[in-house]
Amino acid sequence: MTKPKGGTPSIISTSQGEQMAFLERSDEFIRAVAASFDAYLEIDRNGKICEFSRRAEQLLLRDRSEVVGREFSVLAPNEDLDLISNNGSESFANFEWQHLIEMGPRGPISLTKEYVLVDSQNKELLCEVVSFVVPGEPSSRVAIWIRDISDIRRNEEALAASFLHDPLTNLPSRTMFTYQLSYALVRHQDIPGRVAVLLCDVDRFKGLNDSLGHDAGDEALVALAQRLKSIVRPKDVVARFGGDEFLILCEGPLAGATATHLAKRISEILSQPMAVKGQDVYASVSIGIATSSTNASDAAALISNADSAMYLAKRRGGNRYAMFNDSLRTEVVTRTSLENSLHRALERDELVVYFQPVVNLNSLKVVGVEALVRWNHPDQGLMAPDSFIPTAEETGLIVPIGAWVLNCACQTMESWNQGSQGSNHDEIPCEPFAYTPGSGGLVEVNLSGRQIGDPDIVATVAEAINKSSMRPDQLVLEITESTLMDDPEAALSVLEDLKTLGVKLAVDDFGTGFSSLAYLHKFPIDVLKVDKSFVMEMGNRDEDTAIVRAVIDLGHTLGLEIVAEGVETSNQMEILQSLGCDMAQGYLFSHPLPASSLLVLENS
Ligand code: C2E
Ligand code: MG
Ligand code: MG
């Protein structure tokens, strides 16, 4: 058995076995009692006090000499002190110690009670009293520990209060809201539609925080909370869900209609600017509304439905509201099932990487390949990335998936470097440019916004390169223009870090993301990939040819190489050649193919 060593051990929290060991009056035990912040006293089987620690003297305001050898009832309340049970019904002096002894081993092993200790100045301390029988020869004793738990309880209560209230806006917290919503749902459980939840999310709040600072962001949230409070009915609940999200609960026969009316009112009041740090700030919110139904009868389900509707409002451009309905329900179910099976796709090896050659437009030789992921879905067959990459992005699964694609691409490139070639030559579709670049070519890998935001991205890329032992400058990382423009400053810092690894960087889908030229110049990029939407219209629409020409000229001025995406016809290829475009990829040359279906041709 272990005995506590030094410090201020608390017997109250030790196991029963250890308590017994303690009570053999070892020196260690005596020292522990003397040092403990808990008061200790002992009563013999005749009710006489036989131990009374120094802490007991302080807590119970009695001298040891006054009480040792006397009846337990000597601790009866006096004008200095009373110790009464928490509900006020029992005084400590009436504590039924005899009961414990009489029951002996058959009875309760220990008793724990709370008492309030009130001194002559009416100061109250909350005490936890733990008592237990110490069996012994010739007679048993009762040991009692008294611990002042006032501070612990105060902290617990403060914690509980902060748990239930948001300290910034002073609104009920998400926990509190969930309680209130649960009760509302119980009250109206027989009648669907009598409870409605609005989930409001501030549009582009991050931009506001970044441009005006976090203090201003906080101020804006407080102002917004006040505006929301000012328009709801007294019985509606407004709560802070967290971050820049607020929840409103409406109850009653017309809950759905009230919620819609409120959503419109919210847009109206937010059309007026809020004064934040002396500036006029305009904020808008996207609102999702869900009403109780047989399908959403608990708080979590209703909030989750409101959340789905809020995302729909965001997808439609923000600053609007959307109602949760059956079609949204179907979408959520489909997405959830996609999410679940995507989780398993990696584990079950269902993802595959296809490669699409990139061709030099001068030599018409393959100079690289772009790695493009596909999902070999057990029921739905080969799925294109557009059908699952957005979900992978939303769930964050793109981070492990992206790392897997990266590793696979680097390993494949390394095997080409080593001179191994695709094995299924007979199965090659009849495409004139289905070649890998041979040793020394490039492999291009797409990185999503979530991956750029992943703190481990640089380490992940470094590891993939090291594991494959390919040259770092054979790897081109593609980031779409819209990802770069989402948070240019943050992207710039990640790209600079990636660049130190010696890799090349490309801006993908260029022309679709409203780049600011000032930023393009700042980014450490090597390649611009002109989006296929412009390339495919070249020859049909003059303005698209003009855009492609402008991008090629701009890129060359900045010292970048230009790749045209989506080249499907010889005419498009010839126009690109005449415009001085460096490289191209597209169905004219080859569809994306599995590594095993690409031929290795010597790039002589
Ligand atoms: P992207 O990076 O712009 O890739 C080019 C897309 O254009 C590919 O679509 C390719 O198959 C398609 N394409 C190539 N040539 C032609 C053509 O001549 N005509 C037409 N109409 N299309 C052509 P895919 O493979 O469906 O990929 C779509 C997008 O999915 C990619 O666009 C990329 O943004 C994303 N993606 C693919 N793999 C990954 C990945 O591993 N990670 C991430 N984050 N995104 C990926
Ligand atoms: Mg790409
Ligand atoms: Mg692209």
Side-chain angles (χ1 to χ4, degrees), residues 89-352:
S89 65
E90 188 196 316
S91 171
F92 180 54
N94 301 331
F95 166 65
E96 291 182 346
W97 56 270
Q98 301 93 332
H99 181 62
L100 269 176
I101 290 202
E102 278 159 18
M103 296 299 284
R106 289 171 293 113
I109 291 168
S110 66
L111 276 181
T112 305
K113 276 191 173 181
E114 284 181 10
Y115 287 87
V116 181
L117 202 140
V118 191
D119 72 9
S120 53
Q121 270 87 51
N122 266 345
K123 190 176 156 222
E124 294 187 358
L125 290 184
L126 184 63
C127 294
E128 184 181 58
V129 176
V130 179
S131 49
F132 50 91
V133 181
V134 188
E137 293 304 329
S139 58
S140 311
R141 307 185 300 276
V142 173
I144 300 175
W145 287 94
I146 305 177
R147 169 182 282 192
D148 172 8
I149 58 167
S150 316
D151 284 347
I152 298 174
R153 187 56 52 85
R154 248 192 305 278
N155 289 343
E156 280 171 3
E157 281 168 7
L159 198 68
S162 72
F163 201 55
L164 298 177
H165 265 90
D166 167 48
L168 177 69
T169 58
N170 214 19
L171 292 177
S173 67
R174 169 196 196 135
T175 313
M176 181 71 164
F177 183 88
T178 311
Y179 279 136
Q180 286 170 301
L181 176 57
S182 303
Y183 283 126
L185 287 168
V186 170
R187 274 196 296 277
H188 301 289
Q189 59 188 342
D190 300 330
I191 312 174
R194 289 210 159 189
V195 178
V197 168
L198 293 90
L199 200 159
C200 315
D201 182 289
V202 182
D203 297 326
R204 291 172 297 279
F205 183 70
K206 187 175 176 303
L208 192 150
N209 243 346
D210 289 347
S211 56
L212 297 180
H214 284 256
D215 281 356
D218 282 356
E219 224 178 272
L221 291 175
V222 173
L224 186 63
Q226 282 162 355
R227 287 201 179 179
L228 293 179
K229 284 287 291 176
S230 72
I231 55 162
V232 299
R233 301 168 305 178
K235 64 177 178 176
D236 299 331
V237 179
V238 182
R240 181 152 178 226
F241 194 40
D244 59 345
E245 290 184 327
F246 294 88
L247 285 161
I248 303 176
L249 164 63
C250 307
E251 267 181 79
L254 299 174
T258 309
T260 317
H261 170 73
L262 270 181
K264 290 179 185 155
R265 285 280 294 129
I266 293 170
S267 291
E268 273 167 34
I269 51 158
L270 290 182
S271 63
Q272 299 300 316
M274 298 186 286
V276 172
K277 296 254 173 279
Q279 291 190 41
D280 277 353
V281 168
Y282 288 88
S284 67
V285 289
S286 299
I287 304 171
I289 302 175
T291 49
S292 55
S293 65
T294 39
N295 288 319
S297 53
D298 68 37
L302 206 54
I303 294 175
S304 158
N305 287 351
D307 192 49
S308 302
M310 187 275 289
Y311 271 104
L312 180 66
K314 285 256 187 241
R315 283 203 292 277
R316 289 179 176 163
N319 192 17
R320 67 195 62 219
Y321 71 90
M323 298 286 290
F324 187 82
N325 55 23
D326 283 342
S327 81
L328 207 51
R329 189 185 315 283
T330 316
E331 197 187 305
V332 171
V333 171
T334 315
R335 205 179 41 222
T336 313
S337 106
L338 183 72
E339 254 174 62
N340 292 341
S341 40
L342 196 52
H343 264 284
R344 289 190 298 265
L346 256 182
E347 294 160 20
R348 296 186 182 171
D349 238 5
E350 290 168 3
L351 298 178
V352 271

Side-chain angles (χ1 to χ4, degrees), residues 379-394:
D379 307 323
Q380 296 175 40
L382 201 63
M383 284 171 70
D386 290 340
S387 59
F388 62 91
I389 292 280
T391 306
E393 284 257 358
E394 271 172 38

Side-chain angles (χ1 to χ4, degrees), residues 539-560:
N540 299 335
R541 290 173 20 149
D542 287 348
E543 58 269 39
D544 285 302
T545 313
I547 290 172
V548 175
R549 182 199 309 272
V551 172
I552 293 172
D553 291 346
L554 165 77
H556 282 161
T557 311
L558 294 173
L560 309 176

Side-chain angles (χ1 to χ4, degrees), residues 546-594:
I547 290 172
V548 175
R549 182 199 309 272
V551 172
I552 293 172
D553 291 346
L554 165 77
H556 282 161
T557 311
L558 294 173
L560 309 176
E561 288 190 294
I562 315 296
V563 180
E565 300 185 287
V567 179
E568 292 186 353
T569 66
S570 314
N571 186 35
Q572 289 162 354
M573 180 180 81
E574 281 156 19
I575 297 174
L576 288 164
Q577 284 170 321
S578 73
L579 295 177
C581 184
D582 305 293
M583 288 169 277
Q585 86 192 78
Y587 298 163
L588 173 67
F589 309 108
S590 169
H591 279 80
L593 295 170

